[in-house]
Amino acid sequence: MPDITVLRTGAHGTPMSEYAAALRERLPECDVALARTPADERDLVADARVVTGVDIDEALLSEADELELFAGAYAGYEHLPLDALRERGVAVTNAAGVHAPSAGEQVLGYLLTFARRLHEGWRRQQHREFRHYRAGELKGSTVTVVGLGAIGQGVVQRLQGFDVDTIGVRYTPEKGGPTDEVVGFDDEALHDAFARTDYLVLACPLTDTTRHLVDRAALNTLPPESVLVNVARGGVVDTDALVSALRREDLRGAALDVTDPEPLPEDHPLWNFENVVVTPHTAGQTPEYWNRLADILATNVPRLDADEELQNRVA
């Protein structure tokens, strides 16, 4: 029976066969099996010490008698049956950090698009209008990054050299961070930061604290020339409040890689704003996804054998 079972559901439009191949390359001493059908999954998890994939439901988990580690293929893990995994003594890891380079680059692309008004240039190209418009500079602006995990830090790292001021928002501001200033989620500090923000970048998990963090009050606090960028989760933003702010021209624009609802319905008003860029949850897409995820699991298999602390352990 396999040491590692790779479940069949892929991620970001890439097949799990690539992930299995990357694991075999890094762990030649391990038997890595790829499940291709539901029946394969049930058979292959039965004696596997490690199972990896996007999700594992309780029915499949009940078949995994020897399971010691479930290696999640997403950074998020709220969808997993954590209580059932805990009861069985199964460790859980996630893909935190895998998305940081691609998401950081995508955020930088959004910021430069709005700073230089490249979206307006694209619009005029579609109408074959060779007509000048005024563009700005990213230099001298203030970028506030909510969430200083791997993605948030990746954003800040890529802003170095652009001569911008940065504010970070995190649960434990006393830990500091890579930004010029760090604040917490208390209303006074948060709204003071928002009031000084030119670009608000959301890179945080969706929690009770961050759900609708960007609501009507927050949008009223942001300067009218500010731009909202969301690569976190759609629910961090109150969508109705955002639409209202855009209609009132209380924001310069928004770049949304995630929305609430998601997918965004065809008749949703956000599609109709010329100052809104919508991408279909692509910030995490990278050809290096499976290689980076395989690196994490290849690090953790020897640690599992030695009963050492696991990289990216979440439960």
Side-chain angles (χ1 to χ4, degrees):
M1 299 302 292
D3 300 304
I4 302 171
T5 292
V6 180
L7 300 181
R8 60 196 174 92
T9 302
H12 297 291
T14 54
M16 295 299 266
S17 57
E18 296 181 10
Y19 182 28
L23 288 172
R24 292 186 185 110
E25 181 180 340
R26 288 160 176 77
L27 296 166
E29 72 283 1
C30 292
D31 182 5
V32 179
L34 172 62
R36 299 185 183 277
T37 68
D40 278 352
E41 289 184 334
R42 290 191 297 271
D43 290 341
L44 292 172
V45 302
D47 294 308
R49 295 179 60 213
V50 178
V51 173
T52 181
V54 171
D55 193 6
I56 183 169
D57 59 29
E58 293 193 42
L60 188 58
L61 180 59
S62 67
E63 305 285 339
D65 295 331
E66 304 299 324
L67 186 60
E68 297 177 31
L69 168 64
F70 179 77
Y74 283 161
Y77 52 90
E78 301 86 355
H79 62 289
L80 298 175
L82 295 178
D83 290 339
L85 287 159
R86 186 180 301 110
E87 289 174 5
R88 286 173 162 264
V90 178
V92 179
T93 58
N94 70 350
V98 169
H99 310 86
S102 58
E105 290 179 6
Q106 188 146 326
V107 168
L108 189 57
Y110 292 142
L111 301 186
L112 291 172
T113 292
F114 277 94
R116 298 301 302 162
R117 295 187 67 198
L118 300 179
H119 56 304
E120 175 61 21
W122 171 253
R123 188 188 70 79
R124 296 191 186 199
Q125 179 182 342
Q126 302 314 296
H127 294 88
R128 301 186 180 188
E129 296 179 34
F130 197 88
R131 187 163 51 87
H132 288 284
Y133 57 88
R134 297 186 66 179
E137 292 184 352
L138 189 58
K139 180 182 185 297
S141 61
T142 297
V143 181
T144 295
V145 181
V146 180
L148 290 180
I151 292 176
Q153 291 185 45
V155 170
V156 176
Q157 180 183 13
R158 282 157 182 78
L159 286 171
Q160 294 178 8
F162 281 91
D163 197 15
V164 300
D165 294 322
T166 56
I167 303 172
V169 181
R170 68 186 312 174
Y171 287 105
T172 51
E174 62 274 8
K175 289 184 178 179
T179 49
D180 298 317
E181 180 182 346
V182 181
V183 301
F185 280 94
D186 55 286
D187 285 345
E188 184 175 351
L190 196 65
H191 279 259
D192 176 69
F194 284 3
R196 297 180 280 131
T197 295
D198 297 299
Y199 297 91
L200 176 61
V201 178
L202 305 176
C204 54
L206 180 61
T207 66
D208 290 341
T209 299
T210 61
R211 185 176 296 279
H212 284 190
L213 179 74
V214 181
D215 57 8
R216 294 183 188 279
L219 290 164
N220 286 336
T221 300
L222 288 168
E225 286 301 306
S226 64
V227 174
L228 172 67
V229 174
N230 191 3
V231 293
R233 289 292 184 267
V236 178
V237 176
D238 181 336
T239 302
D240 291 341
L242 174 60
V243 170
S244 295
L246 290 165
R247 283 175 172 160
R248 296 193 308 268
E249 298 185 354
D250 287 344
L251 279 182
R252 179 153 57 99
L256 308 172
D257 190 54
V258 289
T259 58
D260 183 20
E262 186 175 314
L264 197 63
E266 291 183 9
D267 60 350
H268 200 281
L270 281 174
W271 290 116
N272 300 322
F273 292 101
E274 292 181 351
N275 59 341
V276 173
V277 175
V278 178
T279 50
H281 209 144
T282 58
Q285 175 63 49
T286 168
E288 295 301 316
Y289 192 90
W290 293 130
N291 286 329
R292 291 174 186 151
L293 191 60
D295 287 340
I296 295 171
L297 187 50
T299 297
N300 280 337
V301 167
R303 292 185 181 185
L304 189 67
D305 294 335
D307 196 26
E308 297 175 350
E309 183 177 355
L310 301 177
Q311 180 180 345
N312 281 21
R313 182 164 183 169
V314 296

